[in-house]
Amino acid sequence: MRKVLSVLMPLEWLVVIFGVLALGLYYLLELPLPNLYAALNLPLPHLSSAEAASGSTQDVASASSATVKFLLPFLLLFTLSIENYAFILLVFFAWSGLEVLLGRGGDRGRVSWARFGSSVLGRVSLAQIFQDFRFLSAMVLVFAEFAVLKNLTPRVNSVSWDSWLVESDKLLCGGKMCSEILLGWFGVAALDAISDHYIFFLRYVSLVATFFVVAAPRRTSQQFLFAITAAYLFGILWVYGMPSTGPTFVNKELYAFLADHKIGKLQQGLLVSQNEVYLISGLPSLHVAIVMIGSIFLWKISRLLGAASWVFFVLTLNSTVYLGWHYLLDDVAAIFLALAVVWLAKRCAWEWRGFSSQGLFLGLKD
């Protein structure tokens, strides 16, 4: 039995569970297989901020066959992984080469250069690249499966918790919506910067996931990716139990100031397509949960990277509420979800041992 289970990594088994859940729900609800392009609500804004580029992507998808509509989201998501993979490798090689060049001399330098060269050759081998992209492809599938499952929310449970969450917001923030308080603090002048930060989320997830695949020790990277996948899995089950659409879609007048900005156009696009695409994941905020997981694991690897991620986490708490995507309680629930899946990932004894236990942090010093 253990040999059968070890064929796939724990992360890949979660992906299988995700897929079985999605297919099972579509079968039970007697629905045709999902249009993945619609499910992901492409064009993905993190790939290009240019409206012309987004429009052309939309035109290509609308005019294409069902096969292209299904494959295009994977292509766009893999674009992020390939970009980040190349970027992290280049940074590591440049940094490590500079460290050897400036920090050593004589015979010890020659030994260090040899060690550095062997690590480069090991990392760029086809076998290692295949293993790395096995991790990354699993993450792409997780994101796509989550999007598909999210769009089934109204069919699984049509009872909205928005009114209860509005009251919780007012209770927690002294009779006002929490976003009203943040708007008073930051004003409209900060809107573009906060919007850019919010849209950067998917780039953050892809960059951090790629960093762990390429650079972190294998046990740590498996724990991180397992935690991310578990967060999406438990998150969608939580969404099914307590579905909501989000403050900006419930109280449009309060968020009218967003209308002429790019984040407002994104929200309006969701409203127009809501028959096909469910609005947001609601309670809990997976933006917050995923960034918190990333911050916890990055802090373990590097205090500098961890500190930067924690700053990004605080900004994410602000942007999710300020822009009306989430209620404050969504973010609080996300913190508990993140802590729970990190605890679970670190205590998962089942570790896939299909390849080297070391990432790029090889200790190049002699």
Side-chain angles (χ1 to χ4, degrees), residues 198-318:
Y198 185 87
I199 291 173
F200 190 75
F201 167 76
L202 196 56
R203 172 70 71 173
Y204 167 91
V205 176
S206 177
L207 187 61
V208 173
T210 308
F211 169 81
F212 274 98
V213 168
V214 176
R218 284 308 186 198
R219 181 171 180 80
T220 301
S221 63
Q222 288 184 72
Q223 289 177 344
F224 167 76
L225 296 173
F226 185 93
I228 292 291
T229 307
Y232 276 117
L233 179 58
F234 293 132
I236 193 60
L237 296 177
W238 200 334
V239 169
Y240 284 170
M242 301 177 67
S244 62
T245 56
T248 189
F249 304 109
V250 173
N251 190 345
K252 300 180 182 65
E253 294 77 14
L254 179 60
Y255 301 94
F257 70 96
L258 298 174
D260 296 329
H261 295 264
K262 54 188 171 185
I263 202 72
K265 293 176 181 178
L266 176 60
Q267 292 171 342
Q268 286 301 312
L270 284 171
L271 279 173
V272 170
S273 60
Q274 63 180 316
N275 290 330
E276 289 187 86
V277 180
Y278 197 60
L279 301 180
I280 61 169
S281 60
L283 178 72
S285 167
L286 288 169
H287 266 65
V288 171
I290 299 305
V291 176
M292 184 172 181
I293 294 168
S295 301
I296 291 171
F297 278 94
L298 283 172
W299 184 261
K300 177 181 177 182
I301 292 292
S302 164
R303 292 294 187 262
L304 178 61
L305 294 176
S309 186
W310 280 117
V311 170
F312 191 85
F313 170 75
V314 173
L315 295 174
T316 302
L317 288 172
N318 173 69

Side-chain angles (χ1 to χ4, degrees), residues 5-85:
L5 292 176
S6 64
V7 171
L8 298 179
M9 297 179 289
L11 170 65
E12 291 173 323
W13 279 114
L14 282 181
V15 173
V16 170
I17 293 172
F18 243 135
V20 170
L21 177 60
L23 291 174
L25 283 175
Y26 271 87
Y27 176 78
L28 291 173
L29 295 171
E30 298 181 346
L31 297 173
L33 290 178
N35 180 339
L36 195 57
Y37 188 91
L40 287 171
N41 193 41
L42 294 175
L44 296 173
H46 65 284
L47 291 175
S48 173
S49 60
E51 293 184 12
S54 296
S56 63
T57 306
Q58 183 75 46
D59 292 340
V60 168
S62 62
S64 300
S65 65
T67 303
V68 172
K69 286 184 178 181
F70 186 78
L71 294 177
L72 184 59
F74 291 108
L75 177 62
L76 292 177
L77 290 172
F78 265 119
T79 299
L80 280 176
S81 298
I82 294 169
E83 290 175 2
N84 295 333
Y85 192 83

